[in-house]
């Protein structure tokens, strides 16, 4: 147990520079049309509503790097892994939908503003459980989002 706690502490300390900006945020995209997120170190938690139901996701940002876009432009790209889960109702089918995925995005730190903007794409596998297993099971899937992070 002590080793596990030490490993979590080391990962948390050394990964803090790899994350999107820390803070709270809002996002919209496909399939989530309205979501809220919390970002700390390399861990991001999200919760949102979609046209199919509601769900949440956990993302782990593995790397982040600045892009040289010009003077006064603070632009970075990042990538990571995540998993989403939600309760969906689609075409008469309902159940739990899982979405393990990879993610990649860009973040723009607005000069002098207490927030940043980002855009992200996610590609993975959709896994339907319950009635959704008949609708979609282990099929390629994608999602995307744009959002604002308040630092």
């Amino acid at each position: 147990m002590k080793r596990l706690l030490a490993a979590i502490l080391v990962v948390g300390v050394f990964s803090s520079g790899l994350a999107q900006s820390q803070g709270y945020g809002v996002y919209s995209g496909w399939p989530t049309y309205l979501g809220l997120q919390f970002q700390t170190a390399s861990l991001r938690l999200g919760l949102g509503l979609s046209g199919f139901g509601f769900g949440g996701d956990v993302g782990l940002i593995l790397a982040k790097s600045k892009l040289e876009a010009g003077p006064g432009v603070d632009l970075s790209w990042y990538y990571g892994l995540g998993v989403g889960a939600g309760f969906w109702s689609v075409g008469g089918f309902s159940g739990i939908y899982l979405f393990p995925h990879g993610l990649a995005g860009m973040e723009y730190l607005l000069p002098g503003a207490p927030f940043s903007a980002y855009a992200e794409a996610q590609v993975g596998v959709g896994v339907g459980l319950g009635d959704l297993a008949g609708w979609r099971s282990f099929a390629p899937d994608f999602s995307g989002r744009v959002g604002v992070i308040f630092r």
Side-chain angles (χ1 to χ4, degrees):
M1 185 64 170
K2 289 181 182 179
R3 289 183 185 171
L4 176 62
L5 291 174
I8 290 171
L9 180 61
V10 168
V11 169
V13 168
F14 287 107
S15 65
S16 63
L18 302 177
Q20 279 182 298
S21 294
Q22 295 190 66
Y24 297 91
V26 295
Y27 63 91
S28 183
W30 171 258
T32 304
Y33 62 82
L34 178 60
L36 300 173
Q37 76 177 38
F38 174 70
Q39 175 82 34
T40 179
S42 293
L43 184 66
R44 180 180 68 199
L45 306 172
L47 186 63
L49 300 172
S50 77
F52 306 119
F54 61 91
D57 70 323
V58 176
L60 180 63
I61 308 302
L62 299 175
K64 180 178 178 181
S65 181
K66 288 191 177 274
L67 292 172
E68 297 299 324
V73 179
D74 195 355
L75 193 62
S76 299
W77 68 274
Y78 61 90
Y79 66 89
L81 299 171
V83 64
F87 181 81
W88 282 14
S89 181
V90 179
F93 300 105
S94 62
I96 303 295
Y97 190 71
L98 302 176
F99 179 51
H101 58 271
L103 59 91
M106 298 200 48
E107 181 180 6
Y108 176 54
L109 297 170
L110 296 152
F115 57 89
S116 60
Y118 74 96
E120 179 177 298
Q122 303 171 349
V123 177
V125 176
V127 180
L129 303 174
D131 290 346
L132 289 180
W135 174 71
R136 173 170 280 184
S137 187
F138 294 100
D141 204 356
F142 70 94
S143 66
R145 59 170 69 169
V146 294
V148 176
I149 304 168
F150 300 96
R151 299 179 261 134

